[in-house]
């Protein structure tokens, strides 16, 4: 079966052509941004390869990324390789910025998973591979940093296979000069190469030990391929050498079908192994036809595009980075989202990191930035037709796990802060903003410490609002343990009109979560009916701030008696009387602090479960039990009830106990009485803050 190169990527037998879109993903710091740089240099998009340490890469060009020497958002870069356009989406590896990776996945033809031969990074790799497996994204593993000479290089699959549910196939084996890796053998081509720094590898004769190792490794590659190809299986059993084209056809079709995940290797920092990777993408990865089919793009004449990222550029404009999934679109095209108008395109741009270049209309398969689609959001499916296209993918961000309270450093920036926050969330929907009406706090919820730090840096660097940050308040309440009947009298005689209100309140504790109720038990009109609502208002007002400093809940107040004055009584006076009754009564009712307790579920690799249990107990958690995580080999879920105050920075410790892979969810469960030293400290802190 010879391949014919000139098809549109429909058939599995033929190489896809046309523009590609490829995500670079992988665990934290594995070398994705460096690999992008190598690819751009190798394909001539940039004159020479920069480095992350030197701070001169195309990716990570924002001030925040350079400062922290890590990717904190997506970098989009389009280049040309052997006549086809390739857009690479360099995604941050940190779990805190994972939403930028997850949101682009629907748009890509394939992902290159950049990883290291480091056992500690296997759980993170597993998380990423699961996401790709679940979304049926064809993927190639690129084992990077092989210049570090890690022991695992002799048995790459043994180390990496546990992270992948899809069978891995080794496509290359390293060759050595002394202890140092000097090149590789390509098992499909059966050719040996030596690496050249920042240049194409050079073919060398395949001989000696390398030739023997090649035979064994190639056989095991073919065996794996034969699991899905009976003809190949027969050839192997009968010791017939399969034709090279057949091997390539199988590699291509089994990658696209999701039967296998090929493993290549190299050193991004020296551009070693990069050309082979590009060739694998060119010959084996699917193209737009398969991707449109995978997503279920409806056939028709209308342009369809998926928004994979939203940017607010320095010169003030909004840009929607899209992949064209059907038709073409350019300046002036009006788009609909699934449920609204998206706007009209005013400028089409090619992106190479932060460099934008104005260009003509975008053709099928291309990844470009459209300017001024005011209402388009990341994740939207756009269509230029009259009828909206159903959403092709909706990727909800993970629930946030860490919060800070923020405010503008200067009062005059309050409005600016509001606008900046809206832009921040538009670019990064994994940030949530909550206004706490009780404390008047603006609370920024995010995915971790670094995520929130970068968010605040962006507010000042990009949007020009300096802010202050604080630990957000915990939702403490207080209640009473015993009841009392208390008089509240307000009497003032200061010339002219006086003020007179007099009430008797029967205050009683109520069971947890009954809130507050008020009852009118007046007989004989001792408090005229029209003043009673004012008494209730006064009571409610006083309950906002109990004797311990917190809102008071779970009590019943009955108005049982009182008196009035025909001239001096007023709504105001009865309101004050109601308030006085509470303020004077509650301290005698044994007030007690209530703290919110949440139900927490922690997901962690099994080898970290004991550590997590200890961590939870150490934070006043009540462990309810642990289980294996359903559908997740080698993972557990630990359940516990835990005070809100202890959840505050829990994620920081969970991550450190699980090499970054652990996570948790929480939801409010109940309010619990809190006494003793901890309670005293909370009350004292509250007093000090007032
Ligand atoms: N020895 C060696 N170091 C490398 C190689 N590639 C990258 N590095 C180094 O690894 C570190 C991380 O590289 P990046 O390219 O920023 O990795 P990344 O995967 O983009 O990181 P995040 O996006 O933050 O997850 C940097 O210090 C690089 O210089 C390589 O091939 N060999
Ligand atoms: Mg990076």
């Amino acid at each position: 079966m010879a391949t014919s190169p000139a098809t549109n990527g429909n058939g599995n037998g033929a190489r896809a052509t046309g523009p590609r879109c490829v995500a670079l993903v992988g665990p934290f710091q594995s070398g994705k941004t460096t690999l992008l740089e190598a690819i751009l240099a190798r394909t001539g998009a940039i004159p020479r390869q920069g480095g992350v340490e030197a701070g001169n890469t195309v990716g990570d060009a924002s001030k925040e990324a350079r400062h922290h020497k890590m990717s904190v958002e997506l970098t989009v870069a389009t280049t040309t390789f052997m006549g086809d356009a390739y857009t690479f989406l360099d995604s941050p590896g940190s779990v805190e910025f994972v939403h930028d990776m997850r949101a682009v996945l629907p748009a890509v033809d394939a992902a290159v998973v950049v990883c290291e031969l480091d056992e500690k990074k296997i759980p993170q790799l597993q998380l990423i591979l699961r996401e790709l497996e679940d979304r049926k994204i064809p993927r190639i593993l690129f084992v990077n940093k092989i210049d570090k000479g890690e022991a695992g290089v002799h048995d790459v699959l043994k180390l990496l296979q546990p992270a992948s549910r899809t069978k891995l196939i080794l496509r290359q084996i390293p060759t050595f000069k002394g202890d140092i890796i000097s090149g590789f053998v390509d098992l499909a081509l059966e050719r040996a190469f030596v690496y050249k720094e920042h240049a194409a590898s050079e073919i060398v004769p395949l001989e000696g030990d390398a030739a023997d190792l090649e035979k064994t490794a190639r056989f095991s590659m073919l065996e794996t391929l034969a699991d899905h190809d009976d003809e190949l299986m027969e050839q192997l059993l009968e010791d017939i050498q399969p034709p090279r084209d057949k091997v390539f056809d199988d590699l291509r079709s089994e990658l696209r079908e999701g039967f296998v995940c090929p493993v290549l290797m190299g050193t991004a920092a020296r551009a070693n192994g990069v050309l082979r990777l590009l060739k694998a993408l060119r010959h084996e990865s699917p193209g737009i036809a398969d991707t449109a089919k995978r997503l279920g793009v409806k056939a028709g004449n209308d342009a369809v595009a998926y928004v994979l990222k939203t940017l607010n550029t320095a010169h003030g404009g909004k840009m929607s980075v899209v992949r064209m999934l059907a038709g073409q679109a350019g300046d002036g095209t009006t788009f609909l989202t699934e449920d609204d108008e998206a706007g009209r395109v005013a400028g089409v741009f090619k992106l190479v990191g932060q460099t934008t270049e104005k260009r003509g209309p975008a053709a099928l398969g291309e990844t470009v930035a459209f300017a001024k689609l005011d209402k388009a959001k990341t994740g939207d499916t756009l269509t230029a037709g009259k009828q909206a296209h159903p959403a092709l993918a909706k990727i909800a961000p993970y629930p946030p796990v860490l919060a800070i309270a923020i405010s503008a450093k200067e009062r005059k920036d309050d409005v600016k802060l509001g606008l900046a926050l809206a832009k921040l969330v538009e670019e990064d929907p994994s940030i949530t903003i909550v206004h706490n009406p009780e404390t008047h706090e603006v609370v920024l919820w995010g995915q971790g410490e670094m995520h929130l730090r970068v968010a605040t840096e962006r507010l000042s660097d990009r949007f020009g609002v300096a802010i202050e940050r604080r630990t957000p308040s915990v939702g403490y309440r207080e209640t009473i343990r015993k009841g009392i009947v208390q008089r509240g009298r307000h009497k003032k005689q200061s010339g002219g009109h006086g003020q007179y209100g007099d009430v008797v309140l029967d205050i009683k504790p109520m069971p947890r979560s009954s809130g507050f109720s008020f009852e009118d038990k007046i007989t004989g009109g001792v408090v005229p009916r029209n003043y009673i609502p004012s008494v209730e208002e006064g009571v409610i007002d006083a309950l906002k701030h109990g004797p311990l400093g917190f809102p008071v809940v779970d009590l019943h107040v009955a108005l049982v008696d009182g008196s009035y004055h025909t001239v001096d009584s007023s709504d105001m006076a009865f309101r004050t009387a109601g308030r006085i009754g509470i303020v004077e009564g509650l301290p005698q009712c044994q007030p007690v602090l209530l703290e919110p307790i949440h139900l927490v579920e922690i997901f962690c690799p099994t080898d970290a479960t004991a550590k997590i249990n200890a961590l939870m107990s150490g934070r006043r958690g009540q462990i309810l039990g642990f289980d294996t995580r359903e559908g997740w080999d080698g993972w557990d879920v630990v359940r516990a009830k835990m005070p809100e105050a202890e959840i505050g920075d829990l994620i920081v410790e969970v991550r450190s106990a699980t090499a970054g892979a652990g996570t948790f969810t929480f939801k409010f469960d109940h309010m619990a009485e809190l006494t003793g030293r901890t309670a005293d400290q909370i009350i004292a802190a509250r007093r000090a803050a007032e």
Side-chain angles (χ1 to χ4, degrees), residues 27-34 52-53 60 70-71 90-94 144-145 147-148 267-269:
F28 185 48
Q29 295 281 292
S30 59
K32 301 167 286 294
T33 303
T34 307
V52 173
E53 297 301 328
D60 296 359
M70 62 183 275
S71 297
D90 170 23
S91 312
S94 158
N144 189 32
K145 305 194 188 180
D147 58 322
K148 283 169 73 180
T267 299

Side-chain angles (χ1 to χ4, degrees), residues 512-629:
R512 273 305 75 74
S513 71
S514 29
F516 164 70
S517 49
F518 181 82
E519 192 182 358
D520 163 19
K521 280 189 165 173
I522 293 297
T523 49
V526 289
V527 176
R529 179 149 302 145
N530 56 317
Y531 292 137
I532 291 174
S534 300
V535 177
E536 183 174 358
E537 274 169 29
V539 168
I540 290 175
D541 196 38
L543 292 178
K544 283 182 190 151
H545 191 273
L548 307 182
F550 299 96
V552 190
V553 295
D554 300 345
L555 77 170
H556 178 80
V557 175
L559 174 61
V560 292
D561 201 357
S563 63
Y564 72 105
H565 188 280
T566 38
V567 179
D568 292 347
S569 280
S570 65
D571 279 332
M572 189 62 133
F574 270 100
R575 210 185 135 107
T576 309
R579 201 154 52 73
I580 290 172
I582 294 294
V583 169
E584 291 181 355
L586 288 188
Q588 307 167 61
C589 296
Q590 292 184 6
V592 61
L593 195 65
L594 290 177
E595 70 167 341
I597 307 287
H598 294 261
L599 194 61
V600 183
E601 285 194 328
I602 303 199
F603 306 98
C604 61
T606 306
D607 57 10
T609 305
K611 265 198 243 168
I612 293 291
N613 274 328
L615 182 81
M616 304 292 275
S617 310
R619 290 179 162 242
R620 298 195 285 137
Q622 179 203 344
I623 310 253
L624 304 175
F626 68 95
D627 251 318
T628 52
R629 186 177 185 184

Side-chain angles (χ1 to χ4, degrees), residues 471-488:
T471 311
S473 349
V474 173
Y476 293 114
R477 297 283 180 272
E478 57 182 90
T479 191
I480 49 172
R481 279 179 167 169
K482 97 182 180 27
I484 193 174
V485 175
Q486 172 71 37
R487 165 150 255 138

Side-chain angles (χ1 to χ4, degrees), residues 35 86 112 222 348 407 445 482 537 553 665:
L35 178 62
Y86 285 76
V112 171
L222 294 177
V348 184
S407 54
W445 277 93
K482 97 182 180 27
E537 274 169 29
V553 295
T665 58

Side-chain angles (χ1 to χ4, degrees), residues 621-641:
Q622 179 203 344
I623 310 253
L624 304 175
F626 68 95
D627 251 318
T628 52
R629 186 177 185 184
E630 216 180 295
W632 286 69
D633 247 7
W635 282 67
D636 281 345
V637 46
V638 181
R639 292 189 183 80
K641 286 189 177 172

